mmCIF file of all heavy atoms in Angstrom:
data_model
loop_
_atom_site.group_PDB
_atom_site.id
_atom_site.type_symbol
_atom_site.label_atom_id
_atom_site.label_comp_id
_atom_site.label_asym_id
_atom_site.label_seq_id
_atom_site.Cartn_x
_atom_site.Cartn_y
_atom_site.Cartn_z
ATOM 1 N N GLY A 16 -33.953 2.236 -19.318
ATOM 2 C CA GLY A 16 -33.392 2.993 -18.179
ATOM 3 C C GLY A 16 -32.738 2.071 -17.217
ATOM 4 O O GLY A 16 -33.100 0.888 -17.035
ATOM 5 N N THR A 17 -31.662 2.600 -16.708
ATOM 6 C CA THR A 17 -30.891 1.866 -15.743
ATOM 7 C C THR A 17 -30.879 2.562 -14.351
ATOM 8 O O THR A 17 -30.394 3.765 -14.487
ATOM 9 C CB THR A 17 -29.408 1.582 -16.217
ATOM 10 O OG1 THR A 17 -29.558 0.925 -17.416
ATOM 11 C CG2 THR A 17 -28.688 0.779 -15.183
ATOM 12 N N PRO A 18 -31.296 2.026 -13.356
ATOM 13 C CA PRO A 18 -31.364 2.755 -12.073
ATOM 14 C C PRO A 18 -29.927 3.067 -11.661
ATOM 15 O O PRO A 18 -28.925 2.109 -11.768
ATOM 16 C CB PRO A 18 -31.979 1.789 -11.029
ATOM 17 C CG PRO A 18 -32.047 0.503 -11.748
ATOM 18 C CD PRO A 18 -31.831 0.680 -13.163
ATOM 19 N N ILE A 19 -29.596 4.182 -11.035
ATOM 20 C CA ILE A 19 -28.208 4.669 -10.647
ATOM 21 C C ILE A 19 -28.354 4.914 -9.183
ATOM 22 O O ILE A 19 -29.107 5.804 -8.878
ATOM 23 C CB ILE A 19 -27.726 5.742 -11.473
ATOM 24 C CG1 ILE A 19 -27.493 5.328 -12.903
ATOM 25 C CG2 ILE A 19 -26.401 6.213 -10.899
ATOM 26 C CD1 ILE A 19 -27.122 6.485 -13.893
ATOM 27 N N ALA A 20 -27.562 4.303 -8.422
ATOM 28 C CA ALA A 20 -27.461 4.724 -6.907
ATOM 29 C C ALA A 20 -26.346 5.772 -6.770
ATOM 30 O O ALA A 20 -25.323 5.495 -7.321
ATOM 31 C CB ALA A 20 -27.211 3.385 -6.019
ATOM 32 N N GLU A 21 -26.671 6.712 -6.031
ATOM 33 C CA GLU A 21 -25.715 7.716 -5.771
ATOM 34 C C GLU A 21 -25.722 7.925 -4.191
ATOM 35 O O GLU A 21 -26.713 7.724 -3.495
ATOM 36 C CB GLU A 21 -26.076 9.046 -6.398
ATOM 37 C CG GLU A 21 -26.030 9.012 -7.886
ATOM 38 C CD GLU A 21 -26.840 10.132 -8.587
ATOM 39 O OE1 GLU A 21 -28.020 10.433 -8.104
ATOM 40 O OE2 GLU A 21 -26.297 10.681 -9.402
ATOM 41 N N TYR A 22 -24.596 8.360 -3.662
ATOM 42 C CA TYR A 22 -24.457 8.406 -2.290
ATOM 43 C C TYR A 22 -23.573 9.828 -1.880
ATOM 44 O O TYR A 22 -22.501 9.875 -2.339
ATOM 45 C CB TYR A 22 -23.725 7.326 -1.549
ATOM 46 C CG TYR A 22 -23.403 7.506 -0.179
ATOM 47 C CD1 TYR A 22 -24.460 7.610 0.811
ATOM 48 C CD2 TYR A 22 -22.119 7.587 0.230
ATOM 49 C CE1 TYR A 22 -24.171 7.848 2.137
ATOM 50 C CE2 TYR A 22 -21.805 7.800 1.684
ATOM 51 C CZ TYR A 22 -22.878 7.919 2.559
ATOM 52 O OH TYR A 22 -22.600 8.109 3.863
ATOM 53 N N VAL A 23 -24.309 10.716 -1.313
ATOM 54 C CA VAL A 23 -23.608 12.006 -0.798
ATOM 55 C C VAL A 23 -23.318 11.816 0.670
ATOM 56 O O VAL A 23 -24.188 11.712 1.434
ATOM 57 C CB VAL A 23 -24.564 13.177 -1.105
ATOM 58 C CG1 VAL A 23 -23.827 14.426 -0.648
ATOM 59 C CG2 VAL A 23 -25.049 13.252 -2.437
ATOM 60 N N PRO A 24 -22.011 11.629 0.965
ATOM 61 C CA PRO A 24 -21.597 11.529 2.371
ATOM 62 C C PRO A 24 -21.834 12.681 3.295
ATOM 63 O O PRO A 24 -21.553 13.863 2.669
ATOM 64 C CB PRO A 24 -20.084 11.050 2.282
ATOM 65 C CG PRO A 24 -19.637 11.816 1.020
ATOM 66 C CD PRO A 24 -20.814 11.811 0.046
ATOM 67 N N ASP A 25 -22.112 12.446 4.504
ATOM 68 C CA ASP A 25 -22.054 13.509 5.507
ATOM 69 C C ASP A 25 -20.722 13.507 6.294
ATOM 70 O O ASP A 25 -20.422 14.410 6.891
ATOM 71 C CB ASP A 25 -23.186 13.335 6.504
ATOM 72 C CG ASP A 25 -24.652 13.592 5.823
ATOM 73 O OD1 ASP A 25 -24.718 14.486 5.096
ATOM 74 O OD2 ASP A 25 -25.542 12.898 6.156
ATOM 75 N N GLN A 26 -20.112 12.297 6.234
ATOM 76 C CA GLN A 26 -18.900 12.280 6.945
ATOM 77 C C GLN A 26 -18.121 11.080 6.257
ATOM 78 O O GLN A 26 -18.676 10.214 5.608
ATOM 79 C CB GLN A 26 -18.942 12.078 8.424
ATOM 80 C CG GLN A 26 -19.698 10.728 8.783
ATOM 81 C CD GLN A 26 -19.892 10.511 10.225
ATOM 82 O OE1 GLN A 26 -20.640 11.279 10.841
ATOM 83 N NE2 GLN A 26 -19.116 9.567 10.884
ATOM 84 N N LEU A 27 -16.756 11.102 6.393
ATOM 85 C CA LEU A 27 -15.962 10.132 5.764
ATOM 86 C C LEU A 27 -15.281 9.400 6.891
ATOM 87 O O LEU A 27 -14.551 8.280 6.655
ATOM 88 C CB LEU A 27 -14.872 10.703 4.845
ATOM 89 C CG LEU A 27 -15.473 11.518 3.699
ATOM 90 C CD1 LEU A 27 -14.325 12.083 2.889
ATOM 91 C CD2 LEU A 27 -16.230 10.655 2.740
ATOM 92 N N VAL A 28 -15.269 9.872 8.246
ATOM 93 C CA VAL A 28 -14.544 9.326 9.282
ATOM 94 C C VAL A 28 -15.469 9.325 10.532
ATOM 95 O O VAL A 28 -16.207 10.091 10.811
ATOM 96 C CB VAL A 28 -13.262 10.271 9.494
ATOM 97 C CG1 VAL A 28 -12.610 9.973 10.868
ATOM 98 C CG2 VAL A 28 -12.309 10.371 8.389
ATOM 99 N N ASN A 29 -15.099 8.070 11.209
ATOM 100 C CA ASN A 29 -15.680 7.927 12.518
ATOM 101 C C ASN A 29 -14.714 7.276 13.444
ATOM 102 O O ASN A 29 -14.382 6.203 13.271
ATOM 103 C CB ASN A 29 -16.935 7.018 12.431
ATOM 104 C CG ASN A 29 -17.763 6.890 13.720
ATOM 105 O OD1 ASN A 29 -17.308 7.429 14.685
ATOM 106 N ND2 ASN A 29 -18.834 6.276 13.700
ATOM 107 N N GLY A 30 -14.123 8.089 14.241
ATOM 108 C CA GLY A 30 -13.032 7.644 15.139
ATOM 109 C C GLY A 30 -11.854 7.235 14.398
ATOM 110 O O GLY A 30 -11.259 7.936 13.654
ATOM 111 N N ARG A 31 -11.466 6.002 14.495
ATOM 112 C CA ARG A 31 -10.238 5.343 13.810
ATOM 113 C C ARG A 31 -10.673 4.711 12.507
ATOM 114 O O ARG A 31 -9.795 4.007 11.906
ATOM 115 C CB ARG A 31 -9.562 4.427 14.659
ATOM 116 C CG ARG A 31 -8.981 5.115 15.886
ATOM 117 C CD ARG A 31 -8.428 4.163 16.907
ATOM 118 N NE ARG A 31 -7.697 3.007 16.160
ATOM 119 C CZ ARG A 31 -6.423 2.741 16.451
ATOM 120 N NH1 ARG A 31 -5.770 3.477 17.300
ATOM 121 N NH2 ARG A 31 -5.770 1.771 15.870
ATOM 122 N N LEU A 32 -11.894 4.924 11.896
ATOM 123 C CA LEU A 32 -12.360 4.268 10.736
ATOM 124 C C LEU A 32 -12.600 5.387 9.681
ATOM 125 O O LEU A 32 -13.188 6.316 9.941
ATOM 126 C CB LEU A 32 -13.739 3.588 11.040
ATOM 127 C CG LEU A 32 -14.417 2.998 9.790
ATOM 128 C CD1 LEU A 32 -13.725 1.816 9.319
ATOM 129 C CD2 LEU A 32 -15.896 2.622 10.244
ATOM 130 N N ALA A 33 -12.050 5.159 8.564
ATOM 131 C CA ALA A 33 -12.170 6.055 7.356
ATOM 132 C C ALA A 33 -12.684 5.281 6.135
ATOM 133 O O ALA A 33 -12.189 4.165 5.922
ATOM 134 C CB ALA A 33 -10.839 6.760 7.181
ATOM 135 N N LEU A 34 -13.609 5.874 5.396
ATOM 136 C CA LEU A 34 -14.046 5.286 4.186
ATOM 137 C C LEU A 34 -13.326 6.070 3.013
ATOM 138 O O LEU A 34 -13.272 7.271 3.126
ATOM 139 C CB LEU A 34 -15.579 5.368 4.038
ATOM 140 C CG LEU A 34 -16.350 4.590 5.135
ATOM 141 C CD1 LEU A 34 -17.801 4.836 4.976
ATOM 142 C CD2 LEU A 34 -16.132 3.083 4.860
ATOM 143 N N VAL A 35 -12.934 5.377 1.945
ATOM 144 C CA VAL A 35 -12.370 6.037 0.786
ATOM 145 C C VAL A 35 -13.059 5.462 -0.389
ATOM 146 O O VAL A 35 -13.566 4.351 -0.388
ATOM 147 C CB VAL A 35 -10.841 5.848 0.804
ATOM 148 C CG1 VAL A 35 -10.154 6.489 1.881
ATOM 149 C CG2 VAL A 35 -10.519 4.371 0.697
ATOM 150 N N GLY A 36 -12.831 6.147 -1.542
ATOM 151 C CA GLY A 36 -13.349 5.563 -2.779
ATOM 152 C C GLY A 36 -14.868 5.399 -2.901
ATOM 153 O O GLY A 36 -15.619 6.142 -2.253
ATOM 154 N N ASP A 37 -15.219 4.337 -3.551
ATOM 155 C CA ASP A 37 -16.691 4.082 -3.691
ATOM 156 C C ASP A 37 -17.432 3.726 -2.409
ATOM 157 O O ASP A 37 -18.594 3.922 -2.337
ATOM 158 C CB ASP A 37 -16.859 2.986 -4.687
ATOM 159 C CG ASP A 37 -16.695 3.392 -6.134
ATOM 160 O OD1 ASP A 37 -16.628 4.648 -6.415
ATOM 161 O OD2 ASP A 37 -16.710 2.398 -7.015
ATOM 162 N N ALA A 38 -16.643 3.277 -1.427
ATOM 163 C CA ALA A 38 -17.221 3.012 -0.112
ATOM 164 C C ALA A 38 -17.670 4.381 0.594
ATOM 165 O O ALA A 38 -18.547 4.459 1.344
ATOM 166 C CB ALA A 38 -16.337 2.313 0.817
ATOM 167 N N ALA A 39 -16.978 5.411 0.191
ATOM 168 C CA ALA A 39 -17.208 6.686 0.896
ATOM 169 C C ALA A 39 -18.178 7.564 0.152
ATOM 170 O O ALA A 39 -18.914 8.448 0.669
ATOM 171 C CB ALA A 39 -15.906 7.433 0.997
ATOM 172 N N HIS A 40 -18.141 7.536 -1.054
ATOM 173 C CA HIS A 40 -19.030 8.424 -2.040
ATOM 174 C C HIS A 40 -19.294 7.685 -3.328
ATOM 175 O O HIS A 40 -18.369 7.139 -3.929
ATOM 176 C CB HIS A 40 -18.333 9.647 -2.185
ATOM 177 C CG HIS A 40 -16.792 9.600 -2.575
ATOM 178 N ND1 HIS A 40 -16.367 9.275 -3.733
ATOM 179 C CD2 HIS A 40 -15.708 9.680 -1.785
ATOM 180 C CE1 HIS A 40 -14.956 9.180 -3.725
ATOM 181 N NE2 HIS A 40 -14.661 9.416 -2.534
ATOM 182 N N VAL A 41 -20.469 7.727 -3.798
ATOM 183 C CA VAL A 41 -20.910 6.949 -5.002
ATOM 184 C C VAL A 41 -21.504 7.988 -5.942
ATOM 185 O O VAL A 41 -22.599 8.379 -5.814
ATOM 186 C CB VAL A 41 -21.820 5.844 -4.748
ATOM 187 C CG1 VAL A 41 -22.193 5.134 -5.953
ATOM 188 C CG2 VAL A 41 -21.214 4.885 -3.748
ATOM 189 N N PRO A 42 -20.669 8.490 -6.916
ATOM 190 C CA PRO A 42 -21.250 9.487 -7.931
ATOM 191 C C PRO A 42 -21.946 8.629 -9.051
ATOM 192 O O PRO A 42 -21.635 7.542 -9.243
ATOM 193 C CB PRO A 42 -19.980 10.180 -8.387
ATOM 194 C CG PRO A 42 -18.914 9.200 -8.307
ATOM 195 C CD PRO A 42 -19.282 8.403 -7.085
#
């Protein structure tokens, strides 16, 4: 077994900062 981390974002933007790609969502 290999642990898999997943991240479901609630937001991608905070003011002038935006996350994209694996920083924003980890399937």
Side-chain angles (χ1 to χ4, degrees):
T17 303
I19 296 175
E21 299 164 309
Y22 173 67
V23 181
D25 291 322
Q26 64 185 65
L27 302 175
V28 172
N29 186 355
R31 294 172 42 122
L32 174 69
L34 296 175
V35 298
D37 285 349
H40 43 80
V41 181

